[in-house]
Amino acid sequence: QTATHVLETDEECNGFSAIVIREAFLRFFVSVMKNYEKFISSDREEFLHDEFVADFDDEERLFVSHLVTTQLFERFIEERKVNPNQSEVRFFGDFIIQKKNRSKTTKFVKGSRG
């Protein structure tokens, strides 16, 4: 059977749910990468690593400074520069949009007076 959605397969192995683990990693990377597009140059030729790292709080900066040196990160950015309309790129982008929309809603609710 073919999954129609990347997160639809829910295999269990030794009490761990694959879908729960995938969703946790997705939420984590969406929260870390939610503003990455601001740091891809307008000609889509380069990613502004230093500026991206500087955009994080002090306690997050060390982790992100190491993250941007990994092959995984370089591949992530390269795919977004070269194939921005690829389904996997759009899939991740959709989750970033959802995250940003939730953040706006949360800020509005927290800031509202009853």
Side-chain angles (χ1 to χ4, degrees), residues 3 5-13 16-23:
H5 188 274
V6 174
L7 299 177
E8 283 182 0
T9 58
D10 189 20
E11 302 135 9
E12 287 227 9
C13 180
F16 290 99
S17 169
I19 193 167
V20 171
I21 294 169
R22 279 193 295 269
E23 287 174 344

Side-chain angles (χ1 to χ4, degrees), residues 84-100:
N85 294 317
Q86 183 179 24
S87 62
E88 292 86 359
V89 172
R90 290 194 331 263
F91 174 82
F92 191 76
D94 289 345
F95 273 89
I96 288 176
I97 290 167
Q98 290 174 20
K99 165 78 172 158
K100 288 180 177 181

Side-chain angles (χ1 to χ4, degrees), residues 15-65:
F16 290 99
S17 169
I19 193 167
V20 171
I21 294 169
R22 279 193 295 269
E23 287 174 344
F25 272 95
L26 178 62
R27 283 191 308 273
F28 171 75
F29 280 107
V30 164
S31 69
V32 170
M33 301 302 295
K34 67 182 179 249
N35 294 319
Y36 80 91
E37 287 183 319
K38 293 190 320 186
F39 302 97
I40 295 178
S41 63
S42 59
D43 59 4
R44 301 194 79 73
E45 289 298 317
E46 74 175 303
F47 184 78
L48 307 172
H49 289 85
D50 293 339
E51 291 84 347
F52 178 72
V53 172
D55 195 47
F56 287 85
D57 295 333
D58 290 340
E59 62 271 2
E60 300 165 332
R61 209 168 283 140
L62 180 61
F63 169 77
V64 175
S65 68

